[in-house]
Amino acid sequence: MREGKRLGRVIWAPVGAAVLSGLVIGAAARLLMRGIALAVGGLTGMSLAGTVGILVVFVVLALPAAVTATARPVIMHAGRWVTAALTGLMAARTGVSDAKIIVLADDGQLTPITVLIVAFAAIVVLHGRLAQYLTRRLRTLPESPAEVLPTPDARPV
């Protein structure tokens, strides 16, 4: 029975961590995308389908980092960088599709656009780190509430 719980943690901790980090980083990315649209004076509407799609993509992209969170350091770093590379590639591809708008931006718009792009780069790197951190935390949670609370026999007299 104990082995089954351990196996469940090995499987569910990375999945839960990927979901949590994907939702957090995906939401941050969606807000930054909206910020860039505001900075260039473009359309600022956010559709529910587009937002859900972005969140799902970020959840999936967090899986390599989450799955390798407790592996040997070389594998752990490789998993983190695979997540960062895939997330960065996706972000750059999306940014290139809007490059015409950014290139034609006024000088007053360049500073906010640059700040938002740097923020986007930061969350790309943070994506893998957050997934691995959450995986390690979820794997160390107590198995049941009884492990957290002291038993009546364990109280000092």
Side-chain angles (χ1 to χ4, degrees):
M1 183 75 162
R2 185 121 173 115
E3 187 65 31
K5 287 183 180 181
R6 184 169 177 256
L7 181 62
R9 281 183 185 237
V10 169
I11 294 170
W12 290 111
V15 170
V19 169
L20 288 173
S21 66
L23 291 176
V24 168
I25 300 297
R30 186 62 166 153
L31 291 174
L32 290 173
M33 289 176 201
R34 169 109 182 208
I36 290 173
L38 283 169
V40 297
L43 298 174
T44 58
M46 293 194 315
S47 70
L48 180 61
T51 301
V52 169
I54 289 168
L55 294 176
V56 168
V57 167
F58 274 86
V59 168
V60 171
L61 291 175
L63 283 171
V67 169
T68 60
T70 57
R72 293 181 179 171
V74 171
I75 296 170
M76 180 183 69
H77 293 301
R80 185 183 312 148
W81 284 109
V82 165
T83 291
L86 292 174
T87 305
L89 181 64
M90 182 197 72
R93 186 169 182 225
T94 303
V96 168
S97 67
D98 294 335
K100 184 176 176 183
I101 295 169
I102 294 172
V103 169
L104 297 175
D106 295 333
D107 287 341
Q109 297 170 319
L110 291 179
T111 300
I113 292 170
T114 303
V115 169
L116 291 166
I117 290 172
V118 169
F120 217 110
I123 68 166
V124 163
V125 173
L126 181 64
H127 194 196
R129 283 197 169 274
L130 181 61
Q132 289 184 340
Y133 172 78
L134 290 173
T135 299
R136 288 190 298 271
R137 294 293 295 182
L138 290 174
R139 286 194 66 181
T140 60
L141 289 176
E143 289 184 23
S144 66
E147 291 181 20
V148 177
L149 300 175
T151 60
D153 298 338
R155 290 188 190 144
V157 179

